[in-house]
Amino acid sequence: MRQLPPLNALRTFEASARNGSFAAAGKELFVTASAVSHQIKTLEDYLGVQLFSRSGRTVELTPAGQQYLVSVKHALNEIEVATHRLTASKETNVVQISVAPNFLTRWLMPRMSRFREMFPDIELQINASVGLLDFNQSSTDMAVYYGGGEWDDIEVFFLQKVLLVPVCSPKLLESGHPLQVPGDLRHHTLIYVSTRMWEWESWFQVAGSEYITPKDSLQLSSSQLTTAAAQESLGVALADLTLTSREISSGNLVVPFDIPLDTRKAFYLVHQKNRPLTVAMKAFKEWLITEIQASDVYGAEHSGSLPGTGR
Amino acid sequence: MRQLPPLNALRTFEASARNGSFAAAGKELFVTASAVSHQIKTLEDYLGVQLFSRSGRTVELTPAGQQYLVSVKHALNEIEVATHRLTASKETNVVQISVAPNFLTRWLMPRMSRFREMFPDIELQINASVGLLDFNQSSTDMAVYYGGGEWDDIEVFFLQKVLLVPVCSPKLLESGHPLQVPGDLRHHTLIYVSTRMWEWESWFQVAGSEYITPKDSLQLSSSQLTTAAAQESLGVALADLTLTSREISSGNLVVPFDIPLDTRKAFYLVHQKNRPLTVAMKAFKEWLITEIQASDVYGAEHSGSLPGTGR
DNA sequence: GAGAGTGCTGAGAAAAATTCATGGTAAGTA
DNA sequence: TACTTACCATGAATTTTTCTCAGCACTCTC
């Protein structure tokens, strides 16, 4: 037994707030401004709370109205997305994916042409984004997440562990101080991802060395940038071996110490729970998993604790 | 410009699905079964999708209907919660909090009486829960989370770092193999939290010791249980020093090696973003933060990297 | 200070939701 | 098998809700 406000009035409320005007909202909803005014009044009477403050010919959301709007917008958006998903043809060839930036540029992009060869009919609409997304609020179909694999209310498929090794440009290795033991890093610039400052410290632990104070340090906001900086001879960064394998085999990057730090994080393919996948979505998912197994540098080389598939 | 289905029909749809019957839904909504039938039909015509399969005198959700129901329920629930929050008196003395179990039993519970002394008017409704919760879907006002402090769309306040030390019962130490160096743990049972198996391995790294294979091992599902198991002389567990300080000072637990493992996780107080707090919520929040600073065992003793306040 | 733009209000008109009457189907029961 | 009951569908009638219209008020702009 629910206790809900007049729902149509909510639609009017949201449109009015969005447009900042009853008249404009009326235009959007194909009704007169008067109808909008009536609706808002009905809602305000029901709630017993003033949602808009009127002064002359302008209206403005009250603080209460603003707070309420956030939830109303969110809820209506969810309804809109769900309705669209239900209505839309089950057999579209378009797959919308959201991908962790580093994985996108260093892994997916280089292999896109292979995918398009295999599935010329499927159109991938790709979006780079860090962090989680709400599948109930977005038309995105699938995503590649970076993290611990512990996420609620979504289907999670393990793709690839992230093990970090130090990387630098070959030029740095020639011209600078030699790197024979981890401690030699004290004479170099260490490049940090600013949100993951501890990674170097952990790496030294694994390498069985004291944490050293580097000659210099550089903080960048993403692993994409730190790897690029290492390539530009700005210092030594920690990078995932698989993702940088092209740069390594081409000689743009070298690995001074083949000591991997297991971050216990990984890349995962995720999508909404209990959602029937389209043929295109299935194709992409299976291609991704197959392709990743073929490209995975670790697996055989460094056997670590087995990563779960995320609950 | 939104594209929304008839919203009132959604309410009817949700009630019908929940009740598993149009007649029952009608009763709930104070209308006839016929009205419900009409509404559902309108919705199905709009969507172009069958939501219920009718066979004789029974109705059942189709797969499409089930999928749609999830979102509709979610959205209506959000509206209900938001509406209730808006309508409810701003000045209630009730605060609903959800707390990580270990923190609840070992920290908050023992201090509850102090809170009630200071604020006899405020009623705390406490709920133990692991994992995140959606403040838009729940009437919970605040929560104590355990984790890395990186959560989106909520206000986060740092409370206390979690640093783990080995703990066991004094009896175990007397009767069993002595514990002089970390390696001696090989002769004991190690107690693991099953979802955080790596913690012992990391601790050995910090302790500067090889990871040993214990004589025996025990897996339990929460740190609450592992601590209890250690107390029962079942083995050696990793526990937070602050949370177990009572057991330690009372002699029920001892710390064989005062080597803390920084898990980079912590307890945080969180609540909805942009939400005006009630007087009672503010009181609890401030009490909690003050009290925690007074009780924090670390801080002075082990200076580690400073924990952020979580964006 | 006239005109345009916006919002409010109340009464009537239009639209939507509900009921009512009727008919169909399946399951339980004598 | 026939009867009863519980449930849902449908179309027409009715009630309720929503919308429009017309008149008024306010204020910003020129």
Side-chain angles (χ1 to χ4, degrees):
Chain A
M1 171 70 198
R2 291 188 175 278
Q3 192 67 39
L4 294 168
L7 295 177
N8 288 319
L10 289 186
R11 171 204 263 125
T12 308
F13 166 62
E14 193 271 345
S16 301
R18 184 154 35 77
N19 288 290
S21 146
F22 291 179
K27 225 166 250 164
E28 178 182 311
L29 301 168
F30 301 108
V31 294
T32 58
S34 174
V36 175
S37 174
H38 280 296
Q39 288 268 12
I40 301 291
K41 193 166 173 15
T42 305
L43 183 59
E44 289 181 330
D45 287 351
Y46 173 88
L47 297 170
V49 173
Q50 195 84 348
L51 296 172
F52 287 96
S53 66
R54 290 88 159 164
S55 69
R57 65 175 196 179
T58 58
V59 290
E60 206 180 352
L61 277 175
T62 60
Q66 287 176 28
Q67 202 198 326
Y68 197 46
L69 177 64
V70 174
S71 299
V72 172
K73 251 200 157 88
H74 200 258
L76 293 184
N77 201 43
E78 172 150 18
I79 290 171
E80 194 174 26
V81 168
T83 305
H84 184 256
R85 243 177 221 152
L86 201 70
T87 310
S89 152
K90 293 289 142 203
E91 279 328 319
T92 170
N93 298 320
V94 179
V95 183
Q96 291 190 44
I97 36 180
S98 173
V99 185
N102 206 26
F103 188 85
L104 177 55
T105 54
R106 300 197 185 275
W107 194 96
L108 187 55
M109 284 299 187
R111 288 168 180 82
M112 275 297 288
S113 57
R114 289 170 57 87
F115 180 81
R116 297 177 77 163
E117 253 170 51
M118 281 184 75
F119 303 99
D121 300 337
I122 299 180
E123 184 193 336
L124 293 184
Q125 291 178 359
I126 305 176
N127 201 290
S129 79
V130 284
L132 310 187
L133 70 88
D134 186 347
F135 286 101
N136 298 319
Q137 293 284 322
S138 143
S139 59
T140 302
D141 298 307
M142 317 181 96
V144 176
Y145 280 2
Y146 166 71
E150 293 169 336
W151 298 291
D152 290 335
D153 300 325
I154 49 174
E155 299 268 3
V156 180
F157 301 89
F158 172 76
L159 294 176
Q160 191 176 77
K161 280 182 86 161
V162 171
L163 303 183
L164 300 179
V165 290
V167 295
C168 62
S169 75
K171 213 162 64 184
L172 193 83
L173 214 52
E174 289 164 21
S175 61
H177 206 279
L179 285 171
Q180 323 241 283
V181 295
D184 291 339
L185 282 165
R186 82 181 72 239
H187 306 110
H188 287 267
T189 301
L190 291 193
I191 307 174
Y192 294 82
V193 178
S194 32
T195 51
R196 303 197 293 267
M197 298 292 288
W198 63 81
E199 285 176 346
W200 266 116
E201 190 180 337
S202 303
W203 182 83
F204 278 107
Q205 259 178 26
V206 172
S209 161
E210 286 288 294
Y211 181 47
I212 54 96
T213 316
K215 193 192 83 187
D216 223 337
S217 76
L218 181 61
Q219 281 186 39
L220 296 166
S221 63
S222 74
S223 41
Q224 224 182 335
L225 295 177
T226 54
T227 310
Q231 222 165 319
E232 297 301 329
S233 307
L234 297 175
V236 186
L238 283 171
D240 181 76
L241 186 50
T242 310
L243 294 188
T244 47
S245 59
R246 296 165 83 237
E247 286 81 359
I248 291 168
S249 56
S250 73
N252 286 327
L253 280 177
V254 293
V255 180
F257 307 103
D258 190 17
I259 303 171
L261 166 66
D262 185 349
T263 58
R264 302 192 197 289
K265 299 205 174 177
F267 291 105
Y268 295 87
L269 179 70
V270 305
H271 60 75
Q272 214 184 14
K273 216 167 192 167
N274 302 320
R275 174 172 180 194
L277 302 190
T278 64
V279 173
M281 283 166 73
K282 269 189 207 130
F284 176 71
K285 177 172 161 182
E286 273 153 33
W287 173 81
L288 186 60
I289 290 172
T290 315
E291 193 77 9
I292 230 152
Q293 281 164 358
S295 78
D296 196 348
V297 181
Y298 308 111
E301 291 186 35
H302 305 287
S303 66
S305 60
L306 277 176
T309 52
R311 22 143 83 273
Chain B
M1 171 66 198
R2 291 187 176 276
Q3 193 67 38
L4 293 170
L7 296 177
N8 289 318
L10 289 186
R11 171 205 264 124
T12 307
F13 166 62
E14 193 271 343
S16 302
R18 184 153 37 76
N19 288 291
S21 146
F22 291 180
K27 224 167 254 169
E28 178 183 311
L29 300 169
F30 302 107
V31 293
T32 60
S34 173
V36 175
S37 174
H38 280 294
Q39 288 268 10
I40 301 290
K41 192 165 173 19
T42 305
L43 183 58
E44 288 180 331
D45 287 351
Y46 173 90
L47 296 170
V49 173
Q50 196 85 346
L51 296 172
F52 287 95
S53 67
R54 289 88 161 164
S55 70
R57 68 174 191 179
T58 57
V59 290
E60 205 179 355
L61 276 175
T62 60
Q66 286 175 30
Q67 201 198 328
Y68 197 46
L69 177 65
V70 175
S71 299
V72 171
K73 252 198 156 88
H74 200 257
L76 293 184
N77 200 42
E78 172 150 17
I79 289 170
E80 195 174 24
V81 169
T83 305
H84 184 256
R85 248 184 214 146
L86 201 69
T87 310
S89 152
K90 290 291 142 204
E91 278 326 322
T92 170
N93 298 319
V94 179
V95 184
Q96 291 191 44
I97 39 181
S98 172
V99 184
N102 206 24
F103 188 84
L104 176 56
T105 53
R106 299 195 185 276
W107 194 95
L108 188 55
M109 284 299 186
R111 288 171 180 80
M112 275 296 289
S113 57
R114 288 168 59 87
F115 180 81
R116 296 175 78 165
E117 252 170 54
M118 278 185 79
F119 303 97
D121 300 338
I122 299 179
E123 182 193 338
L124 293 184
Q125 291 179 359
I126 305 177
N127 202 289
S129 81
V130 284
L132 310 186
L133 70 90
D134 186 346
F135 286 101
N136 298 320
Q137 293 284 323
S138 143
S139 59
T140 302
D141 298 307
M142 317 179 98
V144 175
Y145 279 4
Y146 166 72
E150 293 168 338
W151 297 292
D152 289 335
D153 300 323
I154 50 173
E155 299 269 2
V156 180
F157 302 89
F158 172 76
L159 293 177
Q160 190 175 77
K161 280 182 89 160
V162 171
L163 303 182
L164 300 178
V165 289
V167 295
C168 62
S169 75
K171 212 160 65 179
L172 193 86
L173 215 53
E174 289 162 21
S175 60
H177 204 281
L179 287 170
Q180 322 242 279
V181 294
D184 293 338
L185 283 165
R186 83 182 70 242
H187 305 109
H188 286 267
T189 302
L190 292 193
I191 306 173
Y192 295 81
V193 178
S194 33
T195 50
R196 304 198 292 267
M197 298 291 288
W198 63 81
E199 287 176 345
W200 265 117
E201 188 180 338
S202 304
W203 183 84
F204 278 107
Q205 260 177 27
V206 173
S209 160
E210 287 286 297
Y211 182 45
I212 54 97
T213 318
K215 193 194 81 185
D216 222 338
S217 76
L218 181 61
Q219 281 185 39
L220 296 166
S221 63
S222 74
S223 40
Q224 224 182 335
L225 294 177
T226 55
T227 311
Q231 222 164 321
E232 297 301 327
S233 307
L234 296 176
V236 187
L238 284 171
D240 182 76
L241 186 50
T242 309
L243 294 189
T244 47
S245 58
R246 294 166 84 238
E247 286 81 359
I248 292 169
S249 55
S250 72
N252 286 328
L253 281 176
V254 293
V255 180
F257 306 103
D258 189 17
I259 303 171
L261 167 66
D262 185 348
T263 58
R264 301 191 198 288
K265 299 202 174 178
F267 290 106
Y268 295 88
L269 179 71
V270 307
H271 60 75
Q272 212 183 16
K273 218 167 191 167
N274 302 320
R275 172 167 181 200
L277 303 191
T278 64
V279 173
M281 285 167 72
K282 271 190 205 130
F284 176 72
K285 176 172 161 183
E286 273 153 34
W287 174 81
L288 186 60
I289 290 173
T290 315
E291 193 77 5
I292 223 141
Q293 282 166 357
S295 78
D296 197 347
V297 180
Y298 307 111
E301 291 183 30
H302 305 287
S303 68
S305 61
L306 277 176
T309 51
R311 35 170 38 295

